[in-house]
Amino acid sequence: MDSILEVEDIHTYYGEAYVLQGLSLRLRGSEILGILGRNGVGKTTLVNSIVGFNPPRRGRILFKGEDITRLSSVVTVRRGMGLVPQGRRVFPTLSVEENLIVAERGGGRWNLERVYAAFPRLNERKSHRARQLSGGEQQMLAIGRGLMTNPDCLIMDEPSEGLAPIVIEDLWQTIGRLKAEGLSILLVEQNASLALKLADRVHVLSKGRIVFSGLPKELEANDEIRSRFLGI
Ligand SMILES: Nc1ncnc2c1ncn2[C@@H]1O[C@H](COP(=O)(O)OP(=O)(O)OP(=O)(O)O)[C@@H](O)[C@H]1O
Ligand SMILES: [Mg+2]
């Protein structure tokens, strides 16, 4: 399949602050595209531009061939863009199950039963309030909620943030399974070595621009890019 998501030369601002300075990318069907870069380079701004929280002032975004540049986040999600936001942002006082149900967008393969099958831990804790969950469980809930919208494309913003290595290992297996089932994933990660384990291709961002694009093994072999832009 060709590209499910195409970002064409977008320029995004917060007021006067010029953050994304001409950024383009393509996410193909059933692949994981890694977006890497240090603090503050514009990773979340890219997510906000795509999803419709902060549309670009210039440039174009196509999703499944249709222009979504000016659409609100509600409409974008309804069209099949799933978001797992940075910091998880589950509803703390709602139960696990309520968090999942409020996100439900029918008509696809994902439903409560399948989310519980993918994340047995959520099933065990379905009547707990989200704020009672551990960080790893909350991340699973955030992903489960993203899946409940039955997305064709899932954007994950720093899923490993704040989680213990053993929890991340589990999470990475789950993300790998989602990809194997055909989901296209934009994986935003500050932790480059982790992203390299999953991604099919990667882009490295610096100051709102892409400074490197390639295969994980090409980035692994590029000491200059890794030390200048990723600090590894
Ligand atoms: N709501 C906002 N208003 C004004 N400036 C913002 C806002 N959000 C982010 N910025 C600025 O835009 C730039 C890019 O921020 P962004 O959150 O996209 O970075 P990031 O790569 O996601 O960083 P992190 O790895 O810390 O999540 C930063 O200079 C940041 O200070
Ligand atoms: Mg961010």
Side-chain angles (χ1 to χ4, degrees), residues 40-208:
V41 296
K43 301 183 300 298
T44 298
T45 305
L46 169 63
V47 173
N48 291 344
S49 299
I50 296 170
V51 176
F53 293 138
N54 186 17
R57 254 182 233 177
R58 277 167 51 204
R60 217 162 63 124
I61 301 169
L62 301 179
F63 180 43
K64 297 187 281 189
E66 287 178 40
D67 193 329
I68 60 160
T69 320
R70 306 276 152 225
L71 298 184
S72 72
S73 56
V74 176
V75 176
T76 309
V77 169
R78 206 179 288 145
R79 289 196 183 187
M81 184 81 71
L83 175 65
V84 182
Q86 185 167 13
R88 329 201 222 280
R89 298 185 174 270
V90 294
F91 298 112
T93 60
L94 296 188
S95 71
V96 166
E97 188 148 305
E98 287 163 346
N99 265 278
L100 294 173
I101 288 170
V102 293
E104 186 163 17
R105 185 188 70 116
R109 49 213 295 255
W110 288 98
N111 51 34
L112 265 185
E113 210 168 52
R114 286 206 65 218
V115 168
Y116 285 147
F119 300 101
R121 190 77 187 138
L122 293 182
N123 190 25
E124 287 163 27
R125 313 212 68 186
K126 60 183 160 198
S127 52
H128 288 68
R129 288 181 199 273
R131 66 157 180 253
Q132 297 172 300
L133 304 183
S134 70
E137 290 165 348
Q138 285 189 16
Q139 188 59 267
M140 287 172 194
L141 179 55
I143 296 170
R145 201 178 49 177
L147 294 173
M148 287 294 282
T149 67
N150 274 297
D152 300 304
C153 161
L154 192 63
I155 300 179
M156 309 180 94
D157 194 352
E158 311 250 11
S160 78
E161 200 174 29
L163 301 184
I166 179 120
V167 177
I168 293 173
E169 218 170 279
D170 219 42
L171 189 61
W172 253 228
Q173 279 183 14
T174 304
I175 298 173
R177 274 200 299 274
L178 295 175
K179 179 206 143 154
E181 289 176 23
L183 194 61
S184 309
I185 300 174
L186 192 69
L187 178 67
V188 174
E189 261 296 340
Q190 207 183 121
N191 188 325
S193 359
L194 276 176
L196 287 171
K197 290 186 191 166
L198 267 181
D200 298 294
R201 295 184 297 127
V202 292
H203 294 307
V204 177
L205 258 61
S206 177
K207 298 182 187 159

